[in-house]
Amino acid sequence: QKEVEQDPGPLSVPEGAIVSLNCTYSNSAFQYFMWYRQYSRKGPELLMYTYSSGNKEDGRFTAQVDKSSKYISLFIRDSQPSDSATYLCASTGGGNKLTFGTGTQLKVEL
Amino acid sequence: GAVVSQHPSWVICKSGTSVKIECRSLDFQATTMFWYRQFPKQSLMLMATSNEGSKATYEQGVEKDKFLINHASLTLSTLTVTSAHPEDSSFYICSARAQDVLTEAFFGQGTRLTVV
């Protein structure tokens, strides 16, 4: 079992839709949770970074962590074609190493 | 925001030759840099962690003699793929972390290596 599981998609939504991206993790030592956005042939870009259970909002993006069920989510409101990318969740226990999910490919269509 | 510059963005080389990829932190001191490899539609696979001035720590299964990592300064780390073979063709990405910062906020733009 991978430590971080993520549905690879692809996920296709119409412009303006609310997008829900999800990951599960198995390592109880994970305390920090990140979401990265990666455009094709580019390096990942950090979108959101959370520590505790609950919600964290930044503009159209909301990250949600439920440590009791080991479930992390990213919501994108009013999705735009420019949001089309691969979204990677990642977790760490506070040491050096990040563990990434496989990424979910998102396409927002006009 | 902070920028990590990776060069080259793409390279084609012949089998048996060596290729060097540079990763620079442009406006902060990167005490730790990470090198990843990514296959199409797959996640980032950590290859090694390098700390400035010390030897890199390689992940299990990564050949340290094939993937030479040097982190000679707080702003520069290099990955050299030695005696490259077609199976080394991949997307290589570096990331950098400043001291006392918990996670990797800054990734390079990646290098697509094709070995022919």
Side-chain angles (χ1 to χ4, degrees):
Chain A
Q1 181 190 12
K2 293 180 181 176
E3 286 190 295
V4 178
E5 298 271 7
Q6 186 175 7
D7 186 338
L11 178 62
S12 184
V13 301
E15 183 179 9
I18 296 174
V19 177
S20 173
L21 303 166
N22 307 295
C23 289
T24 58
Y25 64 96
S26 57
N27 191 335
S28 298
F30 286 158
Q31 299 177 54
Y32 305 92
F33 307 92
M34 281 69 68
W35 282 97
Y36 291 84
R37 176 174 63 197
Q38 185 177 23
Y39 291 111
S40 182
R41 301 177 187 271
K42 300 289 184 184
E45 170 195 9
L46 181 65
L47 282 177
M48 302 284 285
Y49 164 46
T50 58
Y51 169 67
S52 57
S53 281
N55 294 350
K56 182 177 181 179
E57 192 172 314
D58 184 0
R60 295 186 295 113
F61 299 91
T62 300
Q64 188 176 79
V65 175
D66 182 346
K67 289 187 177 181
S68 63
S69 59
K70 297 187 175 66
Y71 198 82
I72 54 179
S73 301
L74 178 71
F75 299 97
I76 307 174
R77 291 183 298 281
D78 188 24
S79 55
Q80 304 294 311
S82 58
D83 295 327
S84 298
T86 296
Y87 290 81
L88 297 149
C89 61
S91 301
T92 179
N96 266 339
K97 187 177 172 181
L98 275 180
T99 301
F100 284 88
T102 52
T104 298
Q105 187 180 351
L106 171 67
K107 184 172 183 182
V108 181
E109 300 191 19
L110 289 168
Chain B
V3 175
V4 173
S5 176
Q6 190 172 337
H7 178 81
S9 55
W10 61 271
V11 58
I12 301 173
C13 71
K14 289 185 177 179
S15 223
T17 61
S18 295
V19 174
K20 181 184 281 188
I21 302 170
E22 290 188 349
C23 182
R24 292 181 185 273
S25 59
L26 297 186
D27 57 0
F28 69 100
Q29 292 185 329
T31 50
T32 308
M33 285 188 172
F34 304 84
W35 287 95
Y36 293 87
R37 186 172 179 176
Q38 187 177 34
F39 292 102
K41 298 187 187 292
Q42 293 190 29
S43 188
L44 281 74
M45 182 189 79
L46 180 65
M47 298 174 67
T49 302
S50 75
N51 292 294
E52 183 265 339
S54 61
K55 289 185 179 179
T57 302
Y58 289 80
E59 295 297 303
Q60 192 173 10
V62 178
E63 298 176 59
K64 63 180 181 180
D65 293 331
K66 181 165 186 62
F67 299 100
L68 300 178
I69 291 171
N70 185 280
H71 192 165
S73 77
L74 284 170
T75 59
L76 174 64
S77 177
T78 59
L79 167 67
T80 301
V81 183
T82 63
S83 187
H85 288 96
E87 57 265 31
D88 298 325
S89 299
S90 191
F91 193 55
Y92 293 87
I93 310 173
C94 70
S95 71
R97 193 176 78 186
Q99 191 173 15
D100 298 330
V101 174
L102 195 60
T103 189
E104 302 151 56
F106 312 112
F107 280 78
Q109 56 266 56
T111 297
R112 180 157 302 282
L113 170 64
T114 302
V115 185
V116 298

